[in-house]
Amino acid sequence: MDHFQYKNGELYAEEVPVRRIADDVGTPFYCYSTATLERHYQVFADAVSGLDATICYAVKANSNLAVITTLARQGAAADVVSGGEMKRALVAGVAPGKIVFSGVGKTEDEMAAALRAGVLQINVESLPELEQLSRIASSLGIDANIAIRVNPDVDALTHEKIATGKSQNKFGIAWDAVPGAYALAAELPGLNVTGVAVHIGSQILTLEPFRQAYGKVAELVQSLRAQGHDIAHLDLGGGLGIPYEDETPPTPKEYGDMVTSVVGGLGCRVFFEPGRLIAGNAGIFVTRVLIVKEATARTFAIVDGAMNDLVRPTLYNAHHAIVTVKEPSKGAARTEMEVVGPICETGDTFGVPRMLPEISPGDLLCIRTAGAYGAVMASTYNARPLVPEVMVRGNDYAVVRERISVDDMMAHEVIPGWLKKAAE
Ligand code: LLP
């Protein structure tokens, strides 16, 4: 359930007409709903309330400061994968002691920054990283609290580009190497090994892969404890899928019940890293129709948003529902149309042709489920400015990131001296 619904014949974001925002800020733009963000966080928190749970919002899904701050106010901790995300989480008011630093490749600077900030835990994904972190922690005189991310070799049954738990993926320590990694970590100075971490992928639509991975991890915890390791934390990652079209993912409650039955008996503090589940349906992307073009094979609605703004459809063939901001009348005729952007690539599409009500230049379209992996994955291809992000709360809204103008972008570029001379 989200808070983008038709009322009085047009689409509202909570109590604000989307059209009004479009008139004020221009198109295209992202729009987030505070109520939906809070609701999703709360539903997930309720679903795992039987455990000693820490919900680390995966900042990568949507790292806008207003989004992180909204969730931090709900009590969320944060999962970050770069120095930039850590900085954002801190600025948004997440206490360092509520930040988990993950990621398959961290720079020395990032490790040192995480240690100096005093993060809750650093998830380590390889033996060289263990040694590097040990060295940096020792030189700073700070003990690093670490979990080792393991690769359980489980197929998450999701898009191949976002599956992370199979042995051929770059993530985590190979299952057979795990006992050796814990033995090494126990010997190295500066490391305080507290847990096991696992994350098998994203947009996972059945419980089975999670159950398999978590079952393997539960056995691992027992055998590591038998070998004398004090395992107090379990980081179970994110990945629970959401409906984009007609998918029926497990509910957070079903997921929470499964987790409780599989790992509840271990007495661990359990970390979760949901991203998409919290932010996905809390955001829409709004774009205006520039031209309706009847080509030989099909009709195109060419809009002012493009693949640089929302890359998921072309990158993963992801389906995002597309609706008109004006509510179509009941029984309105629909025609097949492909919604595409203005970028000079055939891949600049928001999906395969859809049945849409009649639309004309100037009409607004809403691309749903764009709150996660939308704005964060945008680029400036074709010298297109990064679009504004707007957050709604009840009948109020605020621009939470301004449009980054082309002048702003060019301001960071420098013409080298020899070219300046040549021009004189
Ligand atoms: N924890 C770790 C270690 C992760 O790598 C990820 C996502 C998450 C948590 C959050 O997963 P979520 O709950 O959001 O599924 N750009 C892709 C998704 C990439 C996910 C990367 N890792 C997309 O647009 O589908």
Side-chain angles (χ1 to χ4, degrees):
M1 147 81 201
D2 62 54
H3 294 77
F4 301 102
Q5 305 291 337
Y6 287 121
K7 267 186 279 195
N8 313 319
E10 60 179 324
L11 190 72
Y12 274 63
E14 301 193 21
E15 304 305 321
V16 183
V18 168
R19 177 188 38 85
R20 202 172 92 209
I21 306 174
D23 289 346
D24 289 355
V25 308
T27 53
F29 64 93
Y30 280 95
C31 175
Y32 310 130
S33 154
T34 302
T36 311
L37 282 170
E38 292 178 349
R39 180 171 184 279
H40 288 171
Y41 177 80
Q42 217 42 63
V43 167
F44 192 84
D46 290 347
V48 295
S49 60
L51 294 159
D52 176 10
T54 300
I55 301 166
C56 307
Y57 165 61
V59 168
K60 65 168 74 68
N62 186 323
S63 60
N64 185 286
L65 290 177
V67 170
I68 309 174
T69 306
T70 300
L71 294 167
R73 295 272 170 91
Q74 296 289 295
D79 161 50
V80 304
V81 293
S82 69
E85 285 190 356
M86 183 177 78
K87 200 165 197 176
R88 284 177 169 274
L90 291 169
V91 168
V94 183
K98 291 178 85 171
I99 295 179
V100 171
F101 202 118
S102 313
V104 66
K106 307 170 188 77
T107 65
E108 296 210 348
D109 284 350
E110 285 174 326
M111 291 184 192
L115 289 168
R116 285 204 190 91
V119 299
L120 167 61
Q121 175 174 295
I122 299 178
N123 292 348
V124 176
E125 301 210 17
S126 66
L127 302 185
E129 189 189 345
L130 270 181
E131 287 175 354
Q132 201 180 12
L133 184 61
S134 160
R135 204 167 13 85
I136 295 169
S138 305
S139 73
L140 293 175
I142 304 172
D143 272 354
N145 293 325
I146 66 157
I148 291 184
R149 177 168 172 184
V150 299
N151 183 321
D153 195 18
V154 166
D155 187 348
L157 305 174
T158 186
H159 190 282
E160 60 170 16
K161 287 188 180 161
I162 54 175
T164 55
K166 288 187 281 189
S167 58
Q168 66 266 38
N169 301 136
K170 68 183 170 185
F171 300 97
I173 288 190
W175 199 253
D176 294 342
V178 169
Y182 277 87
L184 173 66
E187 276 172 22
L188 288 171
L191 301 183
N192 177 23
V193 188
T194 56
V196 180
V198 67
H199 170 81
I200 57 171
S202 193
Q203 186 56 6
I204 299 171
L205 292 169
T206 57
L207 285 183
E208 216 27 59
F210 289 118
R211 201 194 311 271
Q212 259 184 50
Y214 298 167
K216 287 183 88 166
V217 166
E219 281 175 24
L220 175 69
V221 169
Q222 277 160 344
S223 82
L224 289 172
R225 282 177 174 167
Q227 289 154 34
H229 302 289
D230 183 12
I231 306 294
H233 293 175
L234 263 190
D235 183 339
L236 299 182
L240 189 54
I242 61 171
Y244 282 86
E245 191 175 9
D246 49 12
E247 304 91 336
T248 50
T251 63
K253 170 91 171 66
E254 288 164 343
Y255 172 82
D257 288 349
M258 178 276 295
V259 172
T260 308
S261 76
V262 179
V263 308
L266 295 171
C268 285
R269 176 175 176 191
V270 185
F271 299 0
F272 296 94
E273 300 173 349
R276 188 189 313 265
L277 182 84
I278 307 255
N281 274 309
I284 57 174
F285 178 68
V286 181
T287 181
R288 201 180 280 280
V289 178
L290 299 172
I291 290 173
V292 177
K293 178 171 175 178
E294 316 262 352
T296 317
R298 62 179 56 157
T299 302
F300 293 100
I302 303 174
V303 297
D304 61 3
M307 64 187 272
N308 71 299
D309 305 312
L310 175 63
V311 76
R312 301 194 71 258
T314 190
L315 189 56
Y316 312 114
N317 292 326
H319 179 98
H320 284 257
I322 304 177
V323 297
T324 50
V325 167
K326 183 162 162 274
E327 184 173 13
S329 54
K330 287 229 158 52
R334 286 173 181 263
T335 46
E336 199 176 72
M337 250 180 271
E338 183 175 348
V339 178
V340 296
I343 285 182
C344 318
E345 294 204 23
T346 299
D348 181 21
T349 176
F350 290 111
V352 293
R354 307 285 172 84
M355 296 305 288
L356 291 176
E358 194 185 332
I359 53 177
S360 316
D363 286 356
L364 294 169
L365 297 182
C366 156
I367 302 188
R368 286 187 169 276
T369 321
Y373 308 111
V376 283
M377 293 180 74
S379 76
T380 57
Y381 186 36
N382 275 204
R384 290 169 53 87
L386 292 176
V387 306
E389 296 171 84
V390 171
M391 182 171 273
V392 174
R393 181 170 174 272
N395 57 14
D396 198 6
Y397 76 89
V399 175
V400 293
R401 184 185 69 193
E402 293 174 358
R403 197 179 298 281
I404 313 290
S405 74
V406 177
D407 285 335
D408 290 338
M409 284 156 50
M410 287 193 296
H412 296 278
E413 292 175 35
V414 177
I415 306 284
W418 66 86
L419 286 178
K420 281 187 189 150
K421 277 197 203 109
E424 276 161 12

